[in-house]
């Protein structure tokens, strides 16, 4: 399979008992009255267009009056669970502005907009089918990246908070050309670091529309960060190249930016920095990460043919026997983390 070719639609993997126990321990499990299947019972829909009158691939859905009242209340309760630990004292001030459904991609999520009537502030969250590989992706992102992740699981339903940022493909089309040369160099640096995190953590399919670019204003300049927003392809693919964002044709301009703005030794420096920082993060979450990896070992995350190929390809890159002796995708992740712990010291910096 080409690193930039279409990925096959993956199946959903159920949440194993060890994974559910892990989620309960770390307060990721919540009771809710609304399930993904409930939201599928919409009565009609209209296409959602962006400000340029282009189809967003989302449709706005509508429910009959009786179901809408019940669904809206449940969604507002979910909002309080995500953002205020279930405190419902101000739920009367919340309203559901809309519910959108996306048929593009694997997860087919619902996007919910909740607005505070007192001040018009609003936020989004997503309702999806609870897939084990996606949940592991979210947890690994929470542990291994500089970004905390807020999500909840109830039986077969997954609730994810919205990750703020400009989708990578939109950024390339409308924003990159407006950046200064210094900003482009800084974006190149962040893409190198992002590429490294995805490769080590085995987060696949990071095409430009599956991550966001986040501009942060710092005194008199803008700092850019890059973070993943789609964790569907966590530990799934067998082709090691699919865990390297710089190889996707959709990310060509980011990759080109790295070549134009960074010297080879600078690229190696930023890779080493990210690995060193990652070692510190692993040390800070050692117990939790160990429990997560144990739960992963008890879960099916990909077809055996994918695992066999990835085990072979990672061993051919590293010649580390821990990859060769791996018996699960979790073993490969663990081998990758142990590999960088042995080979990189915590002297890197931003």
């Amino acid at each position: 399979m080409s690193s930039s070719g279409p990925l096959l639609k993956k199946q959903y993997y159920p949440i194993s008992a060890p994974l559910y126990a892990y989620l309960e321990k770390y307060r990721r499990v919540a009771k809710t009255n609304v399930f993904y299947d409930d939201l599928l019972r919409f009565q009609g829909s209209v296409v959602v267009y962006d400000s340029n009158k282009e189809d967003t691939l989302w449709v706005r859905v509508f429910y009959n009056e009786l179901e809408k009242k019940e669904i809206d209340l449940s969604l507002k309760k979910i909002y309080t669970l995500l953002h205020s630990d279930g405190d419902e004292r101000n739920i009367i001030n919340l309203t559901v502005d809309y519910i959108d459904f996306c048929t593009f991609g694997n997860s087919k999520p619902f996007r919910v907009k909740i607005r505070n009537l007192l001040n018009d502030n609003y936020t989004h969250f997503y309702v999806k089918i609870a897939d084990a590989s996606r949940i592991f992706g979210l947890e690994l992102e929470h542990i291994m990246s500089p970004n905390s992740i807020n999500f909840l699981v109830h039986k077969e339903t997954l609730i994810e908070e919205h990750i703020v940022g400009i989708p990578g493909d939109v950024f390339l089309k409308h924003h990159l050309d407006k950046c200064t040369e210094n900003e482009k160099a800084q974006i190149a640096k962040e893409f190198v670091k992002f590429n490294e995190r995805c490769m080590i953590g085995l987060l696949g399919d990071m095409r430009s529309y599956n991550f966001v670019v986040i501009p942060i204003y710092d005194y008199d300049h803008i700092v850019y960060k890059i973070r993943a927003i789609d964790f569907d392809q966590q530990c799934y693919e067998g082709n090691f190249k699919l865990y390297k964002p710089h190889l996707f044709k959709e990310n060509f301009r980011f990759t080109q930016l790295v070549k134009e703005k960074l010297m080879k030794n600078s690229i190696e420096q930023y890779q080493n920095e990210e690995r060193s920082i990652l070692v510190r993060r692993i040390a800070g979450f050692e117990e939790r990460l160990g429990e997560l990896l144990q739960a992963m070992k008890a879960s099916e995350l990909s077809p055996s043919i994918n695992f066999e190929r990835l085990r072979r390809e990672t061993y051919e890159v590293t010649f580390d026997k821990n990859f060769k002796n791996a018996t699960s995708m979790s073993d490969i992740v663990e081998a990758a983390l142990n590999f960088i712990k042995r080979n990189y010291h915590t002297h890197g910096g931003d």
Side-chain angles (χ1 to χ4, degrees):
M1 180 187 295
S2 166
S3 60
S4 60
L7 299 182
L8 298 178
K9 184 176 177 61
K10 71 180 284 288
Q11 69 183 82
Y12 288 99
Y13 290 97
I15 299 174
S16 64
L19 174 56
Y20 209 82
Y22 170 94
L23 294 170
E24 285 187 310
K25 178 176 179 178
Y26 291 101
R27 302 179 68 184
R28 297 295 202 187
V29 174
K31 292 183 179 180
T32 173
N33 293 325
V34 66
F35 297 92
Y36 179 88
D37 287 349
D38 294 328
L39 296 183
L40 287 174
R41 298 200 303 266
F42 53 87
Q43 301 295 303
S45 64
V46 294
V47 175
V48 177
Y49 297 95
D50 64 16
S51 58
N52 296 316
K53 306 299 182 184
E54 295 181 5
D55 188 345
T56 62
L57 302 179
W58 291 84
V59 294
R60 190 145 299 162
V61 298
F62 305 99
Y63 301 85
N64 68 51
E65 199 57 39
L66 185 63
E67 282 197 306
K68 176 177 170 52
K69 187 175 181 180
E70 182 180 345
I71 287 173
D72 281 6
L73 178 60
S74 295
L75 292 174
K76 288 187 284 188
K77 288 182 177 181
I78 288 173
Y79 171 88
T80 67
L81 289 169
L82 274 175
H83 296 285
S84 59
D85 204 27
D87 185 348
E88 297 181 5
R89 284 177 294 178
N90 293 312
I91 200 170
I92 193 172
N93 300 319
L94 302 177
T95 186
V96 178
D97 270 4
Y98 59 69
I99 303 171
D100 292 341
F101 179 56
C102 182
T103 58
F104 176 73
N106 286 318
S107 62
K108 292 184 169 54
F110 286 92
R111 178 177 61 196
V112 180
K113 180 183 176 182
I114 300 286
R115 182 166 53 89
N116 188 314
L117 293 170
L118 296 179
N119 51 37
D120 269 351
N121 285 333
Y122 64 88
T123 189
H124 296 87
F125 63 82
Y126 299 87
V127 182
K128 303 176 181 180
I129 297 174
D131 174 51
S133 58
R134 176 180 291 277
I135 291 170
F136 283 120
L138 289 163
E139 272 295 313
L140 285 170
E141 175 77 1
H142 182 77
I143 292 171
M144 293 172 52
S145 83
N147 312 302
S148 61
I149 294 285
N150 194 9
F151 71 92
L152 296 169
V153 175
H154 182 51
K155 297 184 178 178
E156 290 81 32
T157 298
L158 170 64
I159 312 294
E160 284 183 38
E161 71 172 352
H162 175 64
I163 296 174
V164 176
I166 304 169
D169 55 338
V170 175
F171 185 84
L172 290 177
K173 186 175 181 180
H174 298 293
H175 300 274
L176 181 59
D177 290 337
K178 300 174 186 176
C179 292
T180 67
E181 296 308 307
N182 284 339
E183 289 171 348
K184 290 177 180 178
Q186 200 261 329
I187 293 167
K189 168 188 171 182
E190 287 302 309
F191 188 71
V192 169
K193 288 174 168 271
F194 176 69
N195 191 82
E196 205 68 12
R197 288 199 301 274
C198 294
M199 180 183 67
I200 294 170
L202 295 186
L203 177 58
D205 194 24
M206 280 297 106
R207 304 166 195 256
S208 57
Y209 47 76
N210 286 331
F211 60 84
V212 292
V213 180
I214 308 169
I216 303 171
Y217 288 83
D218 183 24
Y219 292 106
D220 59 348
H221 68 290
I222 301 175
V223 176
Y224 291 90
K225 299 295 182 181
I226 297 176
R227 63 180 295 189
I229 58 171
D230 193 318
F231 303 89
D232 187 61
Q233 299 289 328
Q234 176 67 51
C235 295
Y236 178 76
E237 295 295 339
N239 184 346
F240 190 37
K241 291 181 178 179
L242 294 174
Y243 299 104
K244 300 177 181 181
H246 74 282
L247 295 180
F248 286 106
K249 70 180 184 209
E250 290 85 352
N251 301 339
F252 173 74
R253 290 191 69 191
F254 286 110
T255 304
Q256 189 178 41
L257 211 58
V258 172
K259 292 179 179 177
E260 292 173 355
K261 296 297 179 182
L262 303 179
M263 303 281 288
K264 183 179 179 182
N265 59 348
S266 293
I267 294 173
E268 292 174 353
Q269 174 195 340
Y270 297 141
Q271 289 171 331
N272 290 337
E273 283 184 7
E274 190 59 35
R275 294 184 181 206
S276 297
I277 294 168
L278 190 52
V279 170
R280 288 203 294 272
R281 293 193 192 111
I282 293 169
F285 284 90
E286 190 169 5
E287 180 181 348
R288 182 169 180 167
L289 180 58
E291 293 173 2
L292 180 64
L293 292 172
Q294 286 301 313
M296 288 180 73
K297 290 177 183 181
S299 305
E300 184 181 3
L301 298 176
S302 71
S304 58
I305 189 172
N306 287 10
F307 160 70
E308 296 288 349
R309 177 176 178 180
L310 187 61
R311 176 173 64 176
R312 183 181 71 252
E313 291 189 3
T314 50
Y315 174 71
E316 289 171 353
V317 170
T318 62
F319 297 106
D320 183 330
K321 66 180 181 180
N322 291 310
F323 289 101
K324 188 175 183 179
N325 296 334
T327 60
S328 67
M329 282 292 194
S330 175
D331 286 343
I332 296 179
V333 172
E334 189 171 28
L337 299 180
N338 287 333
F339 181 83
I340 66 165
K341 283 163 66 176
R342 289 194 308 270
N343 292 282
Y344 294 88
H345 303 292
T346 58
H347 60 267
D350 237 12

